[in-house]
Amino acid sequence: MNILQTLRDRFALALADFTDDPQTFAAMVRPAQGAKFGDYQANCAMPLAKVHGTNPRELAASIVSKLDLSDLCDAPEVAGPGFINLSLQDDWLWEQSQSLASDLRLGVPATEQPRNIVVDFSSPNVAKPMHVGHLRSTVIGDALSRILRFLGHQVTTDNHIGDWGTQFGMIIYGYKQFLDEQAYADQPVAELARLYRLVNQLSDYHAAIEKLPILEQRVHEQRELLSDAEAVEQPDKGHKKRLKSLRADLAVATESIETTKRNIAAVESDPQLMQLANDHPNIARGARDETAKLHAGDVENTQLWEQFMPQCLNALDAVYDRLGIHFDLTLGESHYQPMLANVVADLKAKGLATESDGAMCVFIAGNDAPFIVQKADGAFNYATTDLATIRYRVEELAADTMLYVVDSRQGEHFKLLFATAEKWGYTPEMQHIKFGTVMGKDRKPYKTRSGDTVGLESLLDEAVAKAYEIAAANDDAKPDGPELDEQTRQEIAEVMGIGGIKYADLHINRESDYVFDWDTMLNMKGDTATYMQYAYARTRGILRRGEIDPEVLRNGEATLQFSHEAERQLALKLCQFPEAVAAAAEESRPNLLTQYLFETAGEFSTFYEHCPVLKEEDESLRLSRCLLVDLTGRVIQQGLELLGIQTCEQM
RNA sequence: GCCCCGGUAGCUCAGUUGGAUAGAGCAUUGGUCUUCUAAACCAAGGGUCGCAGGUUCGAAUCCUGCCCGGGGUGCCA
C-alpha cells in the first residue's frame, strides 16, 4: 500500500466540499518535515484559505472535521498557520509492516494502467570504446527500465547504437591502408579502435595545418577589436558586456589555436606518424568516400562492415555483461537506413518538409532553426533516423510511450523531433529524459590529461581494485578473524565496485551537471552503494548467526511491536518503499529511490546500535526485531535491484 | 545576437514544485569495539541559498533587472 497516496485519496474526499479541484490540494499532503510534526503533514489549508479569503486555521479545523482517517491515524492536529499534522497509529503500522512479510512486492502495487514503453538509452558508437560519458545514459536508463517493469509496465529496452556513420568510413579506410594483421588476429576490436584513432588523428592533422593560419588571423582580428573597444573613452551601457564577450571570444580562439598546435605537434614529433600523414594528404576525404560507398551498397565495404559489426557488438556486450545490463533490442542506425528515403518522401507528400537552401526542412513554429531531415548533398542525418525510429516503434512495437535517456545538450533536437513526429501523425508520449554533463575538476567535460576520455573498462577495473582493498582490510579486521575466502572477496569487490560507480551516477539529480572525481566515485563511506550493501549484509548476518529461517519467520507467529523509537522509525520507512518507487518512476528520477534507500539504511543502522536482536531476552520482542531485520534486508535488496545494483550475503 | 540550464556549508550535492528552525555525504574536531560486522554509530563546528528589487500570511523555490559559469544555436550525432 502506498500510504501517501491513501492519505491523499482521503483528503481528496474531504476537500470536495471546499474546492472544485480536490486533487491539487490533496497533493499537498507530504511526509512530515520532522518527527515533531508527526509522520505526514497536509499543507492545503493555507492556500485554500487564500482562495476563499477565510482564516486558514479555521479552515484547517473544518477540513479535519470532514476527514475520515480514524482507522489509520491518531486525531489530526492543526499547527502553526494551518498545517494539519498526521500521526499513524502504532497498531496500524504494525499491521502494515507485518503484511509486507508475506508480500513478494513489498507493498508496491502493480500499475492499473500498464503502458508499452520503449526506453532508449546508452546508444554508444560501436566503432569507439565506451568511456565515462556513456555511463550516465546507460546506468540511468537501466534503472528506469527496471523500475517501470517492476511497476508492471511492458518495457522494451533498445540500444540505438551508432553503427552506420562516418566513423565506419574511418575504420574501413584504416583497415585498407594501415591494418596490422597480427594485431587484428589477436585482438580485433583493439586493432579496429587503433585504426579509428589513427585515421582520426591524421585527418585532424591535415585539418589543423589548413586551419591554423585562419585561426591565427582570427585571433589577430579579435585582438584588434578588443583593443579598440578597450580604448573607447565614453563607454555606453552595453560596453562592459561587449568587452567581456570579446575577451571570451579571444580566449576561445586562443585555446583553439593551442589545441590545433598540439594536434600538429603530436604528429610531427613522431617520424612514423609524419610519414603516414605525408603519404595520406587526403585522408579525410578518403574516409568520407568509404562511408559514402558503404551507404551506396558497395560490395567490399558492406562485407567489411558485416565483418566488423559482430566483433564490435561482442566488445560492447562484454561491458554490458559486467554492468549487468541487458537490452531487449539493439536496433542501430543501420537498421533504419532502408527506411529513410521513404520518411522524407512521406514528409514531403504531406507538405511538412520543404526545401530551404538546398536542404529538406521541417519548420516548427516558434523555432528559428529548421529541423533538417535531408542535407543539401542528399544524405540523411540523425533527424531522419530518429523519425524513422519513432514510426517503427509505434507501428512495429506498438509503443505508446518512448523515453530517451540522452544528454540534455540535445534538448533542442528532441524538441523539434517530437514536434515533427506529432505533425507527422505519430503521437505517443515522448519524453527526453535529460541528464547533465559529466565534468572534470576544471568544469569542462571530463577528459584525462592527454585529452582522451577515460575508458569505461579501466574505470570499472579501478573501482573493483579499490573495493577489493577495502573489503579485504575490513575482513582482516573482524573481531573473530577473517571470514571470507579469496574468491568470495573478489566477488564482493566486483559487486561493491560496480555498484559504487552506478550509485555515484544515480544518486545525483539527473539534470545537474556534475563533477567527476575518482575519490568521490570510488569512496565507500557515507552515502554510497557500499553503505546499503553493508546494511543488507548485516541483516543477513543476524539471521544467519541466529540460525533463523526467513521463510519460517515470515509465516510464523511473530508479531511486530515497538519498544524503542528506532523500531517505529524503521518500520515507517519500510512501509514507505512504495512511495519511493512511485516517485522515482513518476519523475523518471532514480535519485528519489537512492535517497530513500540511504535513509532506510540509516534507520537500520540506528536500530542496529540501539536494539540488540539475538541478545534480546524477551522472545516476542526478539522475534519482532527479527521480522524487522528480515524486512529491511528485503527492501534494501529489492531497492538496489531496481537500480541495477547487487548485494552480497556477507561482506 | 537569440535560446536553454545552473550559482545552496571548505569540497561534492539534496531540497518532495510556495510551507514550520535550509539538509546530507566528504573533509575537520571530539566520543563509542570483552556485547548480533566500527564499511557503523553519537556529537560539534561550518550558510548573506550569486546580487538587488518585487509578489504574500510565508520565497532557496514564483516575477523583473543585473553579475558569474556551462551548453545549444541551418546541413556532426
Side-chain angles (χ1 to χ4, degrees), chain A residues 598-617:
Chain A
F598 180 57
E599 288 165 7
T600 304
E603 297 292 0
F604 174 73
S605 293
T606 303
F607 163 85
Y608 187 91
E609 295 294 323
H610 293 104
C611 304
V613 179
L614 301 175
K615 296 197 168 90
E616 173 55 47
E617 290 182 3

Side-chain angles (χ1 to χ4, degrees), chain A residues 288-432:
Chain A
R288 267 201 307 276
D289 289 347
E290 299 294 359
T291 309
K293 276 162 70 183
L294 173 66
H295 289 181
D298 174 80
V299 174
E300 185 188 10
N301 281 10
T302 305
Q303 271 175 0
L304 285 175
W305 183 83
E306 282 169 355
Q307 177 189 327
F308 298 155
M309 274 303 289
Q311 295 165 346
C312 294
L313 290 177
N314 282 342
L316 282 182
D317 282 343
V319 177
Y320 290 131
D321 278 350
R322 192 167 182 196
L323 289 171
I325 288 174
H326 166 79
F327 290 96
D328 301 310
L329 297 172
T330 299
L331 299 179
E333 293 165 346
S334 64
H335 178 258
Y336 298 99
Q337 193 271 339
M339 313 173 195
L340 301 183
N342 177 268
V343 168
V344 175
D346 198 36
L347 289 170
K348 255 157 78 174
K350 293 194 164 128
L352 295 173
T354 50
E355 201 200 301
S356 169
D357 289 348
M360 290 307 297
C361 303
V362 177
F363 290 92
I364 302 295
N367 292 85
D368 289 343
F371 194 56
I372 297 176
V373 296
Q374 186 172 21
K375 301 194 287 180
D377 65 4
F380 305 111
N381 60 6
Y382 73 132
T384 334
T385 309
D386 282 351
L387 286 169
T389 305
I390 289 172
R391 184 166 72 178
Y392 181 86
R393 287 175 179 164
V394 170
E395 291 183 349
E396 305 297 324
L397 305 179
D400 52 43
T401 304
M402 293 177 208
L403 305 182
Y404 292 83
V405 186
V406 180
D407 194 308
S408 48
R409 284 176 292 191
Q410 292 190 38
E412 269 177 281
H413 168 69
F414 282 106
K415 193 173 145 201
L416 294 171
L417 173 67
F418 297 160
T420 302
E422 273 167 31
K423 287 175 90 166
W424 194 25
Y426 294 98
T427 54
E429 183 187 343
M430 294 176 278
Q431 277 189 55
H432 177 198

Side-chain angles (χ1 to χ4, degrees), chain A residues 10 51 77 84 110 125 173 185 201 332 338 351 437 442 519 531 533 548 563 594 612 650:
Chain A
R10 299 287 180 92
V51 176
E77 285 174 26
I84 302 170
N125 262 312
Y173 186 95
Q201 186 178 21
T437 310
D442 57 356
D519 295 336
Y531 184 74
Q533 290 167 328
I548 292 158
S563 67
T594 63
Q650 243 179 310

Side-chain angles (χ1 to χ4, degrees), chain A residues 20-128:
Chain A
D20 294 336
D21 184 15
Q23 295 301 334
T24 300
F25 290 93
M28 295 175 188
V29 179
R30 300 181 184 160
Q33 291 254 320
K36 58 196 169 242
F37 301 131
D39 300 323
Y40 290 85
Q41 64 182 55
N43 302 334
C44 52
M46 285 93 71
L48 205 49
K50 195 188 289 189
V51 176
H52 288 286
T54 55
N55 179 305
R57 281 192 66 102
E58 284 170 19
L59 183 64
S62 320
I63 294 172
V64 167
S65 71
K66 295 275 181 187
L67 208 51
D68 182 11
L69 295 171
S70 55
D71 52 331
L72 49 155
C73 289
D74 295 334
E77 285 174 26
V78 176
F83 296 101
I84 302 170
N85 292 338
L86 308 169
S87 296
L88 298 168
Q89 292 164 15
D90 281 358
D91 49 1
W92 186 83
L93 204 48
W94 296 331
E95 281 170 33
Q96 276 305 305
S97 318
Q98 198 133 9
S99 72
L100 300 182
S102 55
D103 181 2
L104 287 174
R105 296 185 58 82
L106 291 162
V108 178
T111 178
E112 287 165 17
Q113 289 130 4
R115 302 182 67 88
N116 190 347
I117 304 172
V118 173
V119 186
D120 181 320
F121 64 98
S122 198
S123 312
N125 262 312
V126 297
K128 310 181 221 174

Side-chain angles (χ1 to χ4, degrees), chain A residues 79-310:
Chain A
F83 296 101
I84 302 170
N85 292 338
L86 308 169
S87 296
L88 298 168
Q89 292 164 15
D90 281 358
D91 49 1
W92 186 83
L93 204 48
W94 296 331
E95 281 170 33
Q96 276 305 305
S97 318
Q98 198 133 9
S99 72
L100 300 182
S102 55
D103 181 2
L104 287 174
R105 296 185 58 82
L106 291 162
V108 178
T111 178
E112 287 165 17
Q113 289 130 4
R115 302 182 67 88
N116 190 347
I117 304 172
V118 173
V119 186
D120 181 320
F121 64 98
S122 198
S123 312
N125 262 312
V126 297
K128 310 181 221 174
M130 287 177 86
H131 57 84
V132 284
H134 294 108
L135 205 51
R136 283 199 103 177
S137 172
T138 307
V139 166
I140 293 171
D142 179 54
L144 291 177
S145 303
R146 288 167 183 265
I147 291 168
L148 292 168
R149 196 169 273 149
F150 183 67
L151 285 172
H153 296 287
Q154 185 182 330
V155 174
T156 304
T157 52
D158 185 9
N159 196 2
H160 192 84
I161 53 174
D163 59 0
W164 198 245
T166 50
Q167 72 276 14
F168 265 98
M170 292 192 186
I171 293 189
I172 291 171
Y173 186 95
Y175 185 89
K176 289 179 178 175
Q177 304 290 339
F178 309 124
L179 182 69
D180 176 339
E181 288 188 26
Q182 189 56 49
Y184 185 64
D186 294 343
Q187 290 196 307
V189 177
E191 173 61 5
L192 292 180
R194 182 190 73 88
L195 293 173
Y196 169 79
R197 280 198 306 271
L198 178 61
V199 175
N200 206 23
Q201 186 178 21
L202 296 178
S203 310
D204 281 354
Y205 169 76
H206 289 298
I209 293 285
E210 215 166 289
K211 218 167 55 178
L212 192 55
I214 301 167
L215 285 175
E216 279 170 341
Q217 177 64 26
R218 191 188 305 163
V219 165
H220 179 71
E221 285 164 11
Q222 279 173 340
R223 266 211 189 95
E224 286 189 347
L225 276 175
L226 182 59
S227 59
D228 288 353
E230 279 169 339
V232 169
E233 284 178 7
Q234 291 179 316
D236 63 353
K237 213 175 140 202
H239 184 253
K240 245 177 94 179
K241 212 169 177 177
R242 276 197 298 279
L243 272 185
K244 219 197 89 189
S245 129
L246 283 171
R247 288 199 183 102
D249 289 350
L250 182 60
V252 168
T254 311
E255 201 187 311
S256 153
I257 283 190
E258 275 164 24
T259 309
T260 306
K261 282 182 172 163
R262 266 202 305 276
N263 287 345
I264 293 172
V267 171
E268 292 185 344
S269 65
D270 181 330
Q272 268 184 314
L273 279 177
M274 194 60 233
Q275 186 62 46
L276 290 177
N278 288 334
D279 292 346
H280 298 267
N282 296 315
I283 188 166
R285 165 182 288 259
R288 267 201 307 276
D289 289 347
E290 299 294 359
T291 309
K293 276 162 70 183
L294 173 66
H295 289 181
D298 174 80
V299 174
E300 185 188 10
N301 281 10
T302 305
Q303 271 175 0
L304 285 175
W305 183 83
E306 282 169 355
Q307 177 189 327
F308 298 155
M309 274 303 289

